[in-house]
Amino acid sequence: MSTPVLSVEGMTVQFPTRRGILTAVDDVSFSIKAGEVLGVVGESGAGKSMTGSAIIGLIEPPGRISSGQVFLHGERIDTLPAEKMRRVRGRKIGMIFQDPLTSLNPLYTVAEQLVETIRTHLPLSAADARKRAIGLLDDVGIPDASRRIDDYPHQFSGGMRQRVVIALALCADPDLVIADEPTTALDVSVQAQIIDVMKKLCAEKGAAIMLITHDMGVIAEIADRVAVMYAGRLAEIGPVRKVISDAAHPYTKGLMGSIPSLLSDAERLTQIPGSMPRLTAIPQGCPFNPRCSYAFDRCYIERPDPLPHDERRVACWLYDKEEALS
Amino acid sequence: MSTPLLEVKNLSVSFDVSRPWLNRKLEGQDKVLLKAVNDVSFSINKGETFAIVGESGSGKSTIARLIVGLLKPSSGDVFFEGKSLSAGLEGAEARKLRRRFQMIFQDPFASLNPRWHVADIVAEPLRVFKTETGKQRREKVGELLSLVGLSPEDGAKFPHQFSGGQRQRIAIARALAANPDFIVCDEPTSALDVSVQAQILNLMKDLQDKLGLTYLFISHDLSVVRHMADRIGVLYLGRMAEIADAKSLFVDRQHPYTRMLLDAVPDLGMTGKPRKPVEGEIPSPLDPPSGCVFNPRCPLANARCRTERPELRLYGPTWAACHAVEEGRDKAA
Ligand SMILES: Nc1ncnc2c1ncn2[C@@H]1O[C@H](COP(=O)(O)OP(=O)(O)OP(=O)(O)O)[C@@H](O)[C@H]1O
Ligand SMILES: Nc1ncnc2c1ncn2[C@@H]1O[C@H](COP(=O)(O)OP(=O)(O)OP(=O)(O)O)[C@@H](O)[C@H]1O
Ligand code: SF4
Ligand code: SF4
Ligand SMILES: [Mg+2]
Ligand SMILES: [Mg+2]
């Protein structure tokens, strides 16, 4: 087996606060291969963005990775000095954040920003960098790229700005792209274009993509595997078809049922009662137990780790072999 | 047929987005008007949910604000039980009518006053209309909070002590306080994640059944609209492109724009159906295309589409504003 592009092992992210230590990401392990898209879903506050930030070494202090390891092509990166990590980030990891305006500088033209970023990471002349920048804008579907490149960000519509951000993230041909809700603020029509760009990137350049989103439709469309997070932990991770059409973890089941569909005539949506616990008040045992209709004795005492089950890993005592035997 | 509960007739509104007067004089520019809503008509029957879908900037929120009276139309009118709302906006009768309308906004964070107790927020419409005594009011607030799945004790808390979904419940309780018949919901769940959204959508349906409410439901999410609506209006650049009942819109769609929107929705069923790429983007409303506003993006556009504006016409159960539909050209494509 070849080494995965990204491999995260037992990563835990903690924030010391006055009221004790908050664990925002709790013992999370997964990997992404070249050309593969891993979708990450879960309720707001589940730790999706934090997992992404931790991988690229951008956690707001005093937060830190308190245990676990992160590998890029088999090389450990969570212990790299800040300066080295900064270079890895620009050269090997591309990032796309939800709000395109935060990643673009309003004072510079798109050309200036793209060319500068390209030249920081690749040994190209200004003219060649500009050529590359125009090609990238073309790739992400900006019409008339050679003319539009000299515009300022505010002269683009929201969807086009998001495409510029994607071009910026792809400047240096990254091996790994972490995209945090790249399409959430966009209309379906624009969203569809962005999805196509990302698909192409994966297929043609063999990039590994970690795609964080609330939109299950987007996941179904481009992800190969999906990770479901709940209260900072992995609840379930596996092939997208399995997880979507045959969810194993009770939380995933609830999540899937709560999505209205274009095809279904259901009068009511399935709803998960209650809400996710606050990080300061995670119950003992399985963090989902107060909302779980399958919960039994063991769920209130022991915390389940993700265990292999039917091509995936599921953190739920229902799928523990010993449990099944008894 | 009985009178619809709400009728919107030829509603238009323009915003003045010109530079300041002095700049215009100095630079010799004309006034610039943005026509956000352009000759829109539809009606909503009692007890039904009418949805408006459309891309960002198509004018959905502007229609909502026109209906609840937060904005005056440039032309056209809104009728409630046959009575014109713009004719008699002043006076006691209009106030009484207004009381029967409520609005729920997209952002449950911005629409609640952070310094008020939840009980005072929910009671606000009661106070404005001065009907109940203090004690009656407290009881009513308790009932309303229970109705939306909170507890009467929550009244003593402040909005920041609640999650996004709970805040939207508070906003719904406030909207219900005035005993409205009709609620305008502008993207009520867009700021919430799917599991919380399911709770709120179920609640809204239950309340509709229990209280006989009529909803105008605005959203850009087609699956949500499909779940909630009896009838759907598809808005494009301030114009109604199509009005159909929810079932037929998704089965037998007429307008090329509706078709494009539906084809762009990612497919959760994973049937492997290829998604069609979307052509172009919504044009600037400052300089809308002539003829049919959809023509620059429409695969069926021809010369007539570029000059003559299509009007809504009835085809079977569906209203559509499209020359190709009228000419039967859409079926060939
Ligand atoms: N600087 C911080 N200090 C303390 N806690 C934080 C900080 N930033 C985030 N958190 C907490 O970490 C948890 C995970 O947050 P994260 O942003 O990863 O959620 P998410 O899954 O991305 O949610 P969303 O879908 O809303 O974006 C949250 O409970 C959040 O309140
Ligand atoms: N007060 C205003 N002054 C000038 N232009 C306005 C004003 N309010 C709205 N507009 C413009 O009118 C058009 C319609 O806006 P509206 O807010 O109704 O769109 P929408 O369909 O609700 O979009 P979204 O999905 O983004 O909420 C937009 O082009 C907007 O820029
Ligand atoms: S471990 Fe128990 S409480 Fe947790 S999801 Fe499984 S059944 Fe439910
Ligand atoms: S009128 Fe013409 S341009 Fe407009 S939607 Fe119909 S076919 Fe397309
Ligand atoms: Mg996030
Ligand atoms: Mg709006």
Side-chain angles (χ1 to χ4, degrees), chain B residues 152-180:
Chain B
E153 290 81 65
D154 287 330
K157 297 186 187 158
F158 289 99
H160 73 86
Q161 293 172 282
F162 294 88
S163 72
Q166 290 172 324
R167 284 183 229 199
Q168 201 56 292
R169 288 172 192 264
I170 295 168
I172 293 173
R174 175 179 60 186
L176 293 174
N179 268 334

PDB file of all heavy atoms in Angstrom, chain B residues 152-180:
ATOM      1  N   PRO B 152     -41.603  27.429  30.097  1.00  0.00           N
ATOM      2  CA  PRO B 152     -41.969  28.765  30.565  1.00  0.00           C
ATOM      3  C   PRO B 152     -40.835  29.428  31.361  1.00  0.00           C
ATOM      4  O   PRO B 152     -40.676  30.640  31.310  1.00  0.00           O
ATOM      5  CB  PRO B 152     -43.191  28.512  31.456  1.00  0.00           C
ATOM      6  CG  PRO B 152     -43.794  27.256  30.921  1.00  0.00           C
ATOM      7  CD  PRO B 152     -42.636  26.428  30.439  1.00  0.00           C
ATOM      8  N   GLU B 153     -40.036  28.616  32.065  1.00  0.00           N
ATOM      9  CA  GLU B 153     -38.933  29.184  32.855  1.00  0.00           C
ATOM     10  C   GLU B 153     -37.885  29.852  31.969  1.00  0.00           C
ATOM     11  O   GLU B 153     -37.135  30.711  32.401  1.00  0.00           O
ATOM     12  CB  GLU B 153     -38.219  28.107  33.693  1.00  0.00           C
ATOM     13  CG  GLU B 153     -39.020  27.547  34.859  1.00  0.00           C
ATOM     14  CD  GLU B 153     -40.008  26.478  34.390  1.00  0.00           C
ATOM     15  OE1 GLU B 153     -39.546  25.426  33.922  1.00  0.00           O
ATOM     16  OE2 GLU B 153     -41.236  26.710  34.463  1.00  0.00           O
ATOM     17  N   ASP B 154     -37.807  29.416  30.698  1.00  0.00           N
ATOM     18  CA  ASP B 154     -36.826  30.009  29.796  1.00  0.00           C
ATOM     19  C   ASP B 154     -37.068  31.503  29.583  1.00  0.00           C
ATOM     20  O   ASP B 154     -36.185  32.222  29.132  1.00  0.00           O
ATOM     21  CB  ASP B 154     -36.832  29.294  28.436  1.00  0.00           C
ATOM     22  CG  ASP B 154     -36.209  27.914  28.513  1.00  0.00           C
ATOM     23  OD1 ASP B 154     -35.308  27.733  29.358  1.00  0.00           O
ATOM     24  OD2 ASP B 154     -36.618  27.031  27.745  1.00  0.00           O
ATOM     25  N   GLY B 155     -38.268  31.964  29.904  1.00  0.00           N
ATOM     26  CA  GLY B 155     -38.602  33.374  29.747  1.00  0.00           C
ATOM     27  C   GLY B 155     -37.682  34.293  30.523  1.00  0.00           C
ATOM     28  O   GLY B 155     -37.459  35.442  30.149  1.00  0.00           O
ATOM     29  N   ALA B 156     -37.116  33.791  31.621  1.00  0.00           N
ATOM     30  CA  ALA B 156     -36.270  34.636  32.457  1.00  0.00           C
ATOM     31  C   ALA B 156     -34.852  34.772  31.907  1.00  0.00           C
ATOM     32  O   ALA B 156     -34.049  35.539  32.416  1.00  0.00           O
ATOM     33  CB  ALA B 156     -36.226  34.060  33.872  1.00  0.00           C
ATOM     34  N   LYS B 157     -34.535  34.006  30.860  1.00  0.00           N
ATOM     35  CA  LYS B 157     -33.165  34.033  30.336  1.00  0.00           C
ATOM     36  C   LYS B 157     -32.998  35.086  29.238  1.00  0.00           C
ATOM     37  O   LYS B 157     -33.958  35.690  28.772  1.00  0.00           O
ATOM     38  CB  LYS B 157     -32.804  32.660  29.777  1.00  0.00           C
ATOM     39  CG  LYS B 157     -32.809  31.550  30.817  1.00  0.00           C
ATOM     40  CD  LYS B 157     -32.291  30.268  30.185  1.00  0.00           C
ATOM     41  CE  LYS B 157     -32.448  29.085  31.132  1.00  0.00           C
ATOM     42  NZ  LYS B 157     -32.454  27.824  30.377  1.00  0.00           N
ATOM     43  N   PHE B 158     -31.748  35.278  28.816  1.00  0.00           N
ATOM     44  CA  PHE B 158     -31.441  36.191  27.706  1.00  0.00           C
ATOM     45  C   PHE B 158     -31.137  35.380  26.445  1.00  0.00           C
ATOM     46  O   PHE B 158     -30.707  34.223  26.544  1.00  0.00           O
ATOM     47  CB  PHE B 158     -30.227  37.051  28.066  1.00  0.00           C
ATOM     48  CG  PHE B 158     -30.520  38.067  29.130  1.00  0.00           C
ATOM     49  CD1 PHE B 158     -30.161  37.820  30.448  1.00  0.00           C
ATOM     50  CD2 PHE B 158     -31.153  39.255  28.808  1.00  0.00           C
ATOM     51  CE1 PHE B 158     -30.440  38.749  31.441  1.00  0.00           C
ATOM     52  CE2 PHE B 158     -31.436  40.193  29.796  1.00  0.00           C
ATOM     53  CZ  PHE B 158     -31.081  39.945  31.110  1.00  0.00           C
ATOM     54  N   PRO B 159     -31.317  35.994  25.267  1.00  0.00           N
ATOM     55  CA  PRO B 159     -31.117  35.246  24.015  1.00  0.00           C
ATOM     56  C   PRO B 159     -29.758  34.550  23.919  1.00  0.00           C
ATOM     57  O   PRO B 159     -29.665  33.437  23.413  1.00  0.00           O
ATOM     58  CB  PRO B 159     -31.231  36.328  22.935  1.00  0.00           C
ATOM     59  CG  PRO B 159     -32.100  37.370  23.524  1.00  0.00           C
ATOM     60  CD  PRO B 159     -31.816  37.356  24.998  1.00  0.00           C
ATOM     61  N   HIS B 160     -28.688  35.190  24.432  1.00  0.00           N
ATOM     62  CA  HIS B 160     -27.360  34.583  24.233  1.00  0.00           C
ATOM     63  C   HIS B 160     -27.217  33.261  24.972  1.00  0.00           C
ATOM     64  O   HIS B 160     -26.269  32.519  24.740  1.00  0.00           O
ATOM     65  CB  HIS B 160     -26.249  35.557  24.642  1.00  0.00           C
ATOM     66  CG  HIS B 160     -26.124  35.737  26.128  1.00  0.00           C
ATOM     67  ND1 HIS B 160     -25.379  34.896  26.902  1.00  0.00           N
ATOM     68  CD2 HIS B 160     -26.683  36.631  26.965  1.00  0.00           C
ATOM     69  CE1 HIS B 160     -25.469  35.285  28.170  1.00  0.00           C
ATOM     70  NE2 HIS B 160     -26.257  36.329  28.231  1.00  0.00           N
ATOM     71  N   GLN B 161     -28.158  32.981  25.867  1.00  0.00           N
ATOM     72  CA  GLN B 161     -28.071  31.715  26.593  1.00  0.00           C
ATOM     73  C   GLN B 161     -28.680  30.550  25.809  1.00  0.00           C
ATOM     74  O   GLN B 161     -28.765  29.448  26.313  1.00  0.00           O
ATOM     75  CB  GLN B 161     -28.770  31.851  27.955  1.00  0.00           C
ATOM     76  CG  GLN B 161     -28.043  32.803  28.878  1.00  0.00           C
ATOM     77  CD  GLN B 161     -28.832  33.096  30.136  1.00  0.00           C
ATOM     78  OE1 GLN B 161     -29.784  33.877  30.144  1.00  0.00           O
ATOM     79  NE2 GLN B 161     -28.449  32.462  31.224  1.00  0.00           N
ATOM     80  N   PHE B 162     -29.105  30.833  24.562  1.00  0.00           N
ATOM     81  CA  PHE B 162     -29.735  29.785  23.762  1.00  0.00           C
ATOM     82  C   PHE B 162     -28.929  29.472  22.508  1.00  0.00           C
ATOM     83  O   PHE B 162     -28.198  30.319  22.009  1.00  0.00           O
ATOM     84  CB  PHE B 162     -31.150  30.220  23.364  1.00  0.00           C
ATOM     85  CG  PHE B 162     -32.079  30.342  24.527  1.00  0.00           C
ATOM     86  CD1 PHE B 162     -32.181  31.530  25.226  1.00  0.00           C
ATOM     87  CD2 PHE B 162     -32.824  29.252  24.948  1.00  0.00           C
ATOM     88  CE1 PHE B 162     -33.024  31.640  26.316  1.00  0.00           C
ATOM     89  CE2 PHE B 162     -33.667  29.356  26.029  1.00  0.00           C
ATOM     90  CZ  PHE B 162     -33.773  30.549  26.720  1.00  0.00           C
ATOM     91  N   SER B 163     -29.124  28.268  21.979  1.00  0.00           N
ATOM     92  CA  SER B 163     -28.471  27.890  20.724  1.00  0.00           C
ATOM     93  C   SER B 163     -29.243  28.502  19.556  1.00  0.00           C
ATOM     94  O   SER B 163     -30.341  29.029  19.731  1.00  0.00           O
ATOM     95  CB  SER B 163     -28.465  26.369  20.583  1.00  0.00           C
ATOM     96  OG  SER B 163     -29.781  25.921  20.314  1.00  0.00           O
ATOM     97  N   GLY B 164     -28.680  28.406  18.365  1.00  0.00           N
ATOM     98  CA  GLY B 164     -29.309  28.991  17.181  1.00  0.00           C
ATOM     99  C   GLY B 164     -30.727  28.473  16.964  1.00  0.00           C
ATOM    100  O   GLY B 164     -31.653  29.236  16.695  1.00  0.00           O
ATOM    101  N   GLY B 165     -30.903  27.155  17.105  1.00  0.00           N
ATOM    102  CA  GLY B 165     -32.220  26.570  16.891  1.00  0.00           C
ATOM    103  C   GLY B 165     -33.210  27.054  17.943  1.00  0.00           C
ATOM    104  O   GLY B 165     -34.364  27.351  17.645  1.00  0.00           O
ATOM    105  N   GLN B 166     -32.739  27.143  19.190  1.00  0.00           N
ATOM    106  CA  GLN B 166     -33.626  27.615  20.261  1.00  0.00           C
ATOM    107  C   GLN B 166     -34.008  29.075  20.047  1.00  0.00           C
ATOM    108  O   GLN B 166     -35.140  29.473  20.300  1.00  0.00           O
ATOM    109  CB  GLN B 166     -32.942  27.426  21.619  1.00  0.00           C
ATOM    110  CG  GLN B 166     -32.816  25.968  22.009  1.00  0.00           C
ATOM    111  CD  GLN B 166     -31.961  25.785  23.249  1.00  0.00           C
ATOM    112  OE1 GLN B 166     -30.978  26.496  23.451  1.00  0.00           O
ATOM    113  NE2 GLN B 166     -32.327  24.826  24.080  1.00  0.00           N
ATOM    114  N   ARG B 167     -33.055  29.874  19.538  1.00  0.00           N
ATOM    115  CA  ARG B 167     -33.381  31.277  19.269  1.00  0.00           C
ATOM    116  C   ARG B 167     -34.424  31.391  18.172  1.00  0.00           C
ATOM    117  O   ARG B 167     -35.296  32.253  18.225  1.00  0.00           O
ATOM    118  CB  ARG B 167     -32.131  32.040  18.841  1.00  0.00           C
ATOM    119  CG  ARG B 167     -31.246  32.345  20.027  1.00  0.00           C
ATOM    120  CD  ARG B 167     -30.067  33.147  19.576  1.00  0.00           C
ATOM    121  NE  ARG B 167     -28.869  32.538  20.129  1.00  0.00           N
ATOM    122  CZ  ARG B 167     -27.711  33.161  20.244  1.00  0.00           C
ATOM    123  NH1 ARG B 167     -27.595  34.396  19.807  1.00  0.00           N
ATOM    124  NH2 ARG B 167     -26.689  32.556  20.767  1.00  0.00           N
ATOM    125  N   GLN B 168     -34.339  30.509  17.173  1.00  0.00           N
ATOM    126  CA  GLN B 168     -35.350  30.574  16.125  1.00  0.00           C
ATOM    127  C   GLN B 168     -36.705  30.172  16.715  1.00  0.00           C
ATOM    128  O   GLN B 168     -37.733  30.696  16.316  1.00  0.00           O
ATOM    129  CB  GLN B 168     -34.934  29.701  14.938  1.00  0.00           C
ATOM    130  CG  GLN B 168     -35.604  30.039  13.614  1.00  0.00           C
ATOM    131  CD  GLN B 168     -35.418  31.487  13.177  1.00  0.00           C
ATOM    132  OE1 GLN B 168     -35.937  32.421  13.788  1.00  0.00           O
ATOM    133  NE2 GLN B 168     -34.692  31.695  12.094  1.00  0.00           N
ATOM    134  N   ARG B 169     -36.709  29.264  17.691  1.00  0.00           N
ATOM    135  CA  ARG B 169     -37.967  28.925  18.379  1.00  0.00           C
ATOM    136  C   ARG B 169     -38.535  30.144  19.095  1.00  0.00           C
ATOM    137  O   ARG B 169     -39.748  30.368  19.098  1.00  0.00           O
ATOM    138  CB  ARG B 169     -37.747  27.799  19.396  1.00  0.00           C
ATOM    139  CG  ARG B 169     -37.526  26.443  18.769  1.00  0.00           C
ATOM    140  CD  ARG B 169     -37.129  25.391  19.805  1.00  0.00           C
ATOM    141  NE  ARG B 169     -36.659  24.199  19.132  1.00  0.00           N
ATOM    142  CZ  ARG B 169     -37.427  23.135  18.875  1.00  0.00           C
ATOM    143  NH1 ARG B 169     -38.670  23.104  19.288  1.00  0.00           N
ATOM    144  NH2 ARG B 169     -36.933  22.111  18.226  1.00  0.00           N
ATOM    145  N   ILE B 170     -37.645  30.918  19.727  1.00  0.00           N
ATOM    146  CA  ILE B 170     -38.099  32.133  20.415  1.00  0.00           C
ATOM    147  C   ILE B 170     -38.732  33.094  19.402  1.00  0.00           C
ATOM    148  O   ILE B 170     -39.790  33.671  19.641  1.00  0.00           O
ATOM    149  CB  ILE B 170     -36.916  32.815  21.143  1.00  0.00           C
ATOM    150  CG1 ILE B 170     -36.392  31.896  22.257  1.00  0.00           C
ATOM    151  CG2 ILE B 170     -37.344  34.163  21.730  1.00  0.00           C
ATOM    152  CD1 ILE B 170     -35.067  32.326  22.852  1.00  0.00           C
ATOM    153  N   ALA B 171     -38.074  33.231  18.249  1.00  0.00           N
ATOM    154  CA  ALA B 171     -38.608  34.129  17.214  1.00  0.00           C
ATOM    155  C   ALA B 171     -39.976  33.651  16.740  1.00  0.00           C
ATOM    156  O   ALA B 171     -40.876  34.451  16.473  1.00  0.00           O
ATOM    157  CB  ALA B 171     -37.638  34.222  16.046  1.00  0.00           C
ATOM    158  N   ILE B 172     -40.146  32.339  16.656  1.00  0.00           N
ATOM    159  CA  ILE B 172     -41.444  31.802  16.241  1.00  0.00           C
ATOM    160  C   ILE B 172     -42.494  32.077  17.322  1.00  0.00           C
ATOM    161  O   ILE B 172     -43.612  32.495  17.031  1.00  0.00           O
ATOM    162  CB  ILE B 172     -41.337  30.292  15.930  1.00  0.00           C
ATOM    163  CG1 ILE B 172     -40.456  30.090  14.687  1.00  0.00           C
ATOM    164  CG2 ILE B 172     -42.713  29.678  15.699  1.00  0.00           C
ATOM    165  CD1 ILE B 172     -40.141  28.638  14.365  1.00  0.00           C
ATOM    166  N   ALA B 173     -42.108  31.889  18.591  1.00  0.00           N
ATOM    167  CA  ALA B 173     -43.042  32.178  19.687  1.00  0.00           C
ATOM    168  C   ALA B 173     -43.468  33.639  19.629  1.00  0.00           C
ATOM    169  O   ALA B 173     -44.647  33.966  19.785  1.00  0.00           O
ATOM    170  CB  ALA B 173     -42.391  31.861  21.035  1.00  0.00           C
ATOM    171  N   ARG B 174     -42.516  34.527  19.370  1.00  0.00           N
ATOM    172  CA  ARG B 174     -42.850  35.944  19.281  1.00  0.00           C
ATOM    173  C   ARG B 174     -43.832  36.195  18.129  1.00  0.00           C
ATOM    174  O   ARG B 174     -44.795  36.932  18.267  1.00  0.00           O
ATOM    175  CB  ARG B 174     -41.593  36.784  19.085  1.00  0.00           C
ATOM    176  CG  ARG B 174     -41.934  38.260  18.866  1.00  0.00           C
ATOM    177  CD  ARG B 174     -40.716  39.121  18.704  1.00  0.00           C
ATOM    178  NE  ARG B 174     -39.925  38.708  17.563  1.00  0.00           N
ATOM    179  CZ  ARG B 174     -38.740  39.229  17.266  1.00  0.00           C
ATOM    180  NH1 ARG B 174     -38.216  40.150  18.046  1.00  0.00           N
ATOM    181  NH2 ARG B 174     -38.085  38.805  16.214  1.00  0.00           N
ATOM    182  N   ALA B 175     -43.558  35.542  17.005  1.00  0.00           N
ATOM    183  CA  ALA B 175     -44.442  35.744  15.853  1.00  0.00           C
ATOM    184  C   ALA B 175     -45.857  35.256  16.163  1.00  0.00           C
ATOM    185  O   ALA B 175     -46.842  35.830  15.712  1.00  0.00           O
ATOM    186  CB  ALA B 175     -43.885  35.017  14.635  1.00  0.00           C
ATOM    187  N   LEU B 176     -45.959  34.195  16.963  1.00  0.00           N
ATOM    188  CA  LEU B 176     -47.273  33.620  17.258  1.00  0.00           C
ATOM    189  C   LEU B 176     -48.041  34.416  18.311  1.00  0.00           C
ATOM    190  O   LEU B 176     -49.252  34.269  18.458  1.00  0.00           O
ATOM    191  CB  LEU B 176     -47.121  32.173  17.738  1.00  0.00           C
ATOM    192  CG  LEU B 176     -46.606  31.171  16.701  1.00  0.00           C
ATOM    193  CD1 LEU B 176     -46.363  29.820  17.357  1.00  0.00           C
ATOM    194  CD2 LEU B 176     -47.597  31.034  15.554  1.00  0.00           C
ATOM    195  N   ALA B 177     -47.315  35.280  19.048  1.00  0.00           N
ATOM    196  CA  ALA B 177     -47.931  35.979  20.182  1.00  0.00           C
ATOM    197  C   ALA B 177     -49.150  36.793  19.765  1.00  0.00           C
ATOM    198  O   ALA B 177     -50.122  36.905  20.486  1.00  0.00           O
ATOM    199  CB  ALA B 177     -46.903  36.876  20.871  1.00  0.00           C
ATOM    200  N   ALA B 178     -49.090  37.368  18.585  1.00  0.00           N
ATOM    201  CA  ALA B 178     -50.180  38.235  18.161  1.00  0.00           C
ATOM    202  C   ALA B 178     -51.338  37.453  17.544  1.00  0.00           C
ATOM    203  O   ALA B 178     -52.234  38.049  16.963  1.00  0.00           O
ATOM    204  CB  ALA B 178     -49.647  39.268  17.172  1.00  0.00           C
ATOM    205  N   ASN B 179     -51.327  36.135  17.679  1.00  0.00           N
ATOM    206  CA  ASN B 179     -52.365  35.300  17.065  1.00  0.00           C
ATOM    207  C   ASN B 179     -52.504  35.542  15.573  1.00  0.00           C
ATOM    208  O   ASN B 179     -53.610  35.803  15.084  1.00  0.00           O
ATOM    209  CB  ASN B 179     -53.724  35.583  17.700  1.00  0.00           C
ATOM    210  CG  ASN B 179     -53.970  34.649  18.846  1.00  0.00           C
ATOM    211  OD1 ASN B 179     -53.415  33.548  18.882  1.00  0.00           O
ATOM    212  ND2 ASN B 179     -54.777  35.105  19.777  1.00  0.00           N
ATOM    213  N   PRO B 180     -51.428  35.502  14.830  1.00  0.00           N
ATOM    214  CA  PRO B 180     -51.523  35.835  13.408  1.00  0.00           C
ATOM    215  C   PRO B 180     -52.197  34.713  12.630  1.00  0.00           C
ATOM    216  O   PRO B 180     -52.252  33.577  13.096  1.00  0.00           O
ATOM    217  CB  PRO B 180     -50.062  35.958  12.989  1.00  0.00           C
ATOM    218  CG  PRO B 180     -49.351  34.990  13.891  1.00  0.00           C
ATOM    219  CD  PRO B 180     -50.083  35.029  15.199  1.00  0.00           C
TER     220      PRO B 180
END
